[in-house]
Amino acid sequence: MATRKESTSTPTAPMASTSPGATLDSPVKQIQIEGLVVLKMIKHYQEEGQGSEVVQGVLLGLVVEDRLEITNCFPFPQHTEDDADFDEVQYQMEMMRSLRHVNIDHLHVGWYQSTYYGSFVSRALLDSQFSYQHAIEESVVLIYDPIKTAQGSLSLKAYRLTPKLMEICKEKDFSAEGLKKAMIGFEHMFEEVPIVIKNSHLINVLMWELEEKSTVADKHELLNLSSSNHLEKSLQLLMDRVDDMSQDIVKYNTYSRNLSKQQQQKHQYTQRRQQENAQRQTRGETPLPEEDVTKMFKPPQPPPRMDTLLIAGQINNYCQNVKEFTSQNLGKLFMAEALQGHNS
Amino acid sequence: MSVYGPVVKIHPVVLASIGDSYERRNEGASRVIGTLLGTIDKHSVEVTNCFSVPHNESEDEVAVDMEFAKNMYELHKRVSPSEVIVGWYATGFEITEHSVLIHEYYSREATNPIHMTMDTALQSGKMNIRAYVSAQMGVPGKTVGVMFTPLSVKYKYYDTERIGVDLLQRTRDAPNTTNGLTSDLCQVGGAAGRVQDMLATVLTYIEDVLSGKQTADNSVGRYLMDLVNKVPKITAEDFETMLNSNINDLLMVTYLSNLTQAQIALNEKIVVL
């Protein structure tokens, strides 16, 4: 998985300040995407994404009041050979310099990534988004789901890290106590920002022309009744994640059992010590020195909770997708029933 | 000299890109030019990407930043190594003499470059999108001129592009050209609505034919028969069982996913305790 180098270009346009009392509690309330960006992302996945899993790219745009406008994007080459990482930063810099010449907004506002059946909650994504949001406060990550799109409706979601999660990442404190303190649940890791698509008038004219010249869409994929294939794959991924989760839980259980066993041992040891000391005192000998109990029993390592959090978030995402899918299919089945009812 | 079998297939990305770079042109520039990238087939050229190139144009001379063009092409090649330079584009209605010069430059880069024009100023009320190939003309041995022969232009979509474009079409009708993405069940409703519209069109046509307003067309009649026969003839009971088993599957999956979600929420609460 690609971990991206943080962009070193500092944004020159003025940033919108955090509005106090904003309902979303973040500087970005809405994302406005131009049609061009959508088409570019679709094309990038279509052409380069068939073999490997993920395609990534950079979003360019600007911030206007509480909206984040995304006006252009460019794709990132895949990590095929292990070039020096220097390549990435240089590619980005060159691209942005060139785009500046043709008056394209060169302000880095986020990045996009394609996903496979909705699996994108991972450590790499978290790290990348954190470094982006740290450098540029309003940045977002756009997740484009090509398989869902191929089924009939464009699936594009924008996510940001919640401020709580940002703080935790800043302190790099991923231990159990740290997470407990911050009271983060898997639902509060990412926040979704609503997306709006905007086209300029010229593009609108273009759309009218295209509509005239092209044939009627002869694939109404959305009304396709067959669901088992997609459902199977989604459930497969869900099961894998649940397996991971249960492994994690087992680890945690063994840890807590070890901890309690250790506590017991410590308790027994101190008790025995005290008994011996009491005996010795009665016999009149000098009591044994109090040894440091903690040094003898080293406490077991608590398992990292961050992975559990990520897995829980991912499972949640899968479940959401599955539910959306099933609700769509139920609707379609009822329509089919009505159609058949008319016939017979 | 071989001319491509006259088909140029353009993806909507390219057109949107050109429109965007036209809107962002420098002050005083009346048109924008850029390079077209794509793949070449035996009988067609497929244009899948483009980027604009800064240039200066005045009455007597034209200057194109060729370094820039080369650089951009290298960068683009890193992402999609299969794309090659297939030609260049210019906005505006006419082909000027400067175009010939620029075309010469591009013929050094590609074997038989395509020149595409897009009338963004809407001079004729429409955005004419045309493609040309240059052909030599004149008397051999004497001064040779260049003629641009038009090619036919088609639009090609990937499936996902088609769906994306459909979504973008909806911004045409919105007052301030914005549009949100719809949620799951609404989309099914929308698709059903569209099918209903199409059925209504077909029905009005049939009624016209029956009442004699229009002459029946045999091929259309055959299509109609196909359409009616496509609804599968199953006995009511079979259909019931099939429907019920499908619905049961879906309900079970919904139940399971809800259960999983409740489970992980519980797990978290317990750990935090």
Side-chain angles (χ1 to χ4, degrees):
Chain A
M1 279 279 244
T3 44
R4 323 250 325 270
K5 283 262 155 69
E6 172 181 355
S7 146
T8 49
S9 70
T10 48
T12 48
M15 302 282 243
S17 57
T18 318
S19 52
T23 46
L24 210 54
D25 196 27
S26 82
V28 175
K29 283 215 217 98
Q30 202 188 54
I31 305 226
Q32 191 174 281
I33 305 187
E34 293 222 351
L36 175 64
V37 176
V38 174
L39 287 175
K40 271 190 159 176
M41 285 200 288
I42 295 178
K43 164 202 172 324
H44 184 211
Y45 177 78
Q46 191 72 30
E47 292 190 348
E48 309 298 329
Q50 303 296 7
S52 65
E53 294 235 336
V54 202
V55 298
Q56 295 178 338
V58 168
L59 298 170
L60 308 163
L62 56 145
V63 181
V64 174
E65 296 164 350
D66 60 354
R67 283 198 319 264
L68 179 66
E69 295 195 13
I70 302 181
T71 51
N72 215 324
C73 68
F74 61 83
F76 229 68
Q78 311 236 350
H79 272 240
T80 41
E81 332 95 70
D82 277 1
D83 289 332
D85 282 7
F86 180 65
D87 233 12
E88 273 194 29
V89 180
Q90 195 194 26
Y91 174 83
Q92 246 184 355
M93 292 278 91
E94 284 222 23
M95 205 56 166
M96 296 185 39
R97 219 181 305 143
S98 314
L99 290 176
R100 207 186 302 203
H101 279 299
V102 287
N103 295 338
I104 294 185
D105 297 322
H106 53 274
L107 178 56
H108 216 149
V109 291
W111 58 300
Y112 68 84
Q113 181 177 303
S114 74
T115 174
Y116 179 71
Y117 278 108
S119 53
F120 59 86
V121 181
S122 71
R123 197 50 187 274
L125 184 115
L126 198 66
D127 287 338
S128 301
Q129 181 60 12
F130 171 66
S131 58
Y132 261 91
Q133 249 177 273
H134 195 58
I136 303 165
E137 215 190 318
E138 288 87 354
S139 64
V140 296
V141 53
L142 278 185
I143 304 287
Y144 162 65
D145 190 346
I147 297 170
K148 204 151 178 242
T149 307
Q151 285 186 333
S153 58
L154 180 67
S155 156
L156 197 64
K157 297 212 170 122
Y159 289 103
R160 292 168 47 82
L161 299 181
T162 48
K164 280 195 209 158
L165 196 58
M166 287 283 292
E167 282 197 19
I168 292 210
C169 284
K170 240 184 269 199
E171 295 161 30
K172 297 218 191 291
D173 176 19
F174 293 132
S175 65
E177 293 83 35
L179 288 176
K180 226 188 272 195
K181 252 190 285 167
M183 296 283 286
I184 287 205
F186 60 84
E187 287 167 333
H188 304 300
M189 285 205 303
F190 293 103
E191 58 189 12
E192 194 180 328
V193 189
I195 297 183
V196 158
I197 296 194
K198 177 171 172 29
N199 276 331
S200 65
H201 293 288
L202 192 61
I203 307 281
N204 267 353
V205 174
L206 183 66
M207 290 291 146
W208 278 109
E209 286 244 353
L210 280 180
E211 176 80 1
E212 251 186 33
K213 301 241 174 95
S214 48
T215 58
V216 176
D218 39 19
K219 284 201 180 184
H220 275 271
E221 285 294 332
L222 193 52
L223 292 178
N224 199 358
L225 272 183
S226 75
S227 56
S228 48
N229 201 13
H230 184 258
L231 219 51
E232 259 180 41
K233 287 223 184 74
S234 310
L235 283 181
Q236 185 76 28
L237 289 168
L238 185 61
M239 285 196 307
D240 288 339
R241 279 285 167 273
V242 170
D243 279 341
D244 286 341
M245 183 75 157
S246 62
Q247 274 183 358
D248 232 31
I249 292 181
V250 162
K251 260 194 258 169
Y252 186 73
N253 277 343
T254 38
Y255 158 72
S256 47
R257 235 178 290 135
N258 282 348
L259 194 65
S260 60
K261 240 192 288 176
Q262 227 194 35
Q263 298 281 38
Q264 267 190 349
Q265 283 178 342
K266 264 199 247 179
H267 195 64
Q268 278 178 356
Y269 182 78
T270 41
Q271 273 204 340
R272 250 186 290 132
R273 266 287 148 127
Q274 280 174 358
Q275 270 184 357
E276 266 198 44
N277 279 347
Q279 280 181 353
R280 286 198 179 209
Q281 268 186 345
T282 48
R283 274 185 271 160
E285 294 170 10
T286 52
L288 290 168
E290 279 293 324
E291 288 186 13
D292 195 1
V293 195
T294 45
K295 251 195 273 179
M296 290 192 31
F297 296 93
K298 249 184 293 183
Q301 272 285 7
R305 301 302 299 164
M306 199 56 195
D307 289 335
T308 326
L309 204 61
L310 287 172
I311 295 178
Q314 184 61 69
I315 292 182
N316 190 32
N317 205 33
Y318 281 141
C319 292
Q320 279 299 114
N321 281 354
V322 165
K323 282 200 290 197
E324 272 184 23
F325 185 72
T326 49
S327 68
Q328 273 189 337
N329 265 40
L330 276 174
K332 284 188 237 173
L333 279 176
F334 280 122
M335 273 198 327
E337 184 187 11
L339 197 65
Q340 193 74 0
H342 269 287
N343 261 17
S344 54
Chain B
M1 170 162 149
S2 71
V3 180
Y4 285 122
V7 181
V8 176
K9 297 192 197 142
I10 306 187
H11 281 257
V13 181
V14 176
L15 301 171
S17 245
I18 300 178
D20 184 66
S21 38
Y22 177 75
E23 285 178 353
R24 291 172 186 277
R25 67 191 185 285
N26 285 317
E27 293 271 346
S30 58
R31 61 179 195 161
V32 190
I33 67 167
T35 314
L36 294 172
L37 304 169
T39 47
I40 303 188
D41 232 358
K42 252 194 289 180
H43 298 295
S44 61
V45 176
E46 196 166 325
V47 182
T48 51
N49 204 353
C50 68
F51 57 83
S52 67
V53 176
H55 83 301
N56 288 320
E57 207 171 293
S58 60
E59 274 303 318
D60 16 330
E61 65 166 12
V62 65
V64 174
D65 194 348
M66 307 193 182
E67 260 312 304
F68 180 91
K70 273 211 186 58
N71 259 341
M72 277 296 253
Y73 178 51
E74 288 300 312
L75 291 173
H76 275 267
K77 244 186 125 134
R78 287 222 220 129
V79 178
S80 19
S82 56
E83 285 184 346
V84 292
I85 298 186
V86 297
W88 65 293
Y89 69 83
T91 59
F93 193 46
E94 305 136 345
I95 306 185
T96 62
E97 309 93 38
H98 302 316
S99 308
V100 180
L101 291 168
I102 305 178
H103 200 81
E104 258 191 51
Y105 160 65
Y106 274 101
S107 18
R108 267 178 269 146
E109 302 279 325
T111 44
N112 200 5
I114 306 247
H115 172 43
M116 197 174 102
T117 59
M118 187 160 121
D119 186 9
T120 44
L122 302 170
Q123 275 181 352
S124 57
K126 269 190 173 199
M127 202 185 258
N128 280 306
I129 300 174
R130 300 222 188 105
Y132 305 92
V133 172
S134 76
Q136 306 269 335
M137 71 169 180
V139 182
K142 300 264 176 86
T143 49
V144 187
V146 169
M147 182 176 73
F148 283 101
T149 46
L151 304 169
S152 61
V153 170
K154 284 218 178 89
Y155 299 107
K156 182 151 191 276
Y157 302 86
Y158 300 125
D159 291 339
T160 40
E161 268 186 339
R162 176 84 232 179
I163 293 169
V165 168
D166 279 342
L167 182 67
L168 297 180
Q169 302 275 15
R170 273 190 252 152
T171 64
R172 293 186 312 211
D173 313 316
N176 57 344
T177 69
T178 58
N179 184 37
L181 301 175
T182 51
S183 72
D184 28 320
L185 213 49
C186 299
Q187 289 158 354
V188 180
R194 285 200 287 275
V195 174
Q196 219 177 1
D197 286 340
M198 288 196 274
L199 281 175
T201 324
V202 173
L203 275 175
T204 41
Y205 169 78
I206 295 177
E207 278 170 20
D208 281 346
V209 168
L210 282 179
S211 62
K213 276 192 235 162
Q214 268 189 329
T215 48
D217 191 358
N218 274 339
S219 46
V220 174
R222 258 174 260 136
Y223 279 131
L224 283 175
M225 222 175 74
D226 277 342
L227 179 70
V228 171
N229 281 339
K230 272 217 173 94
V231 179
K233 289 197 176 65
I234 328 176
T235 58
E237 300 156 352
D238 282 348
F239 186 76
E240 281 278 322
T241 37
M242 184 196 77
L243 191 74
N244 280 333
S245 63
N246 260 322
I247 293 186
N248 279 338
D249 283 342
L250 292 175
L251 285 175
M252 176 191 78
V253 172
T254 318
Y255 169 73
L256 280 176
S257 48
N258 276 332
L259 188 65
T260 322
Q261 276 184 316
Q263 188 79 352
I264 44 178
L266 261 177
N267 177 42
E268 244 181 54
K269 294 288 182 281
I270 293 181
V271 166
V272 167
L273 269 179

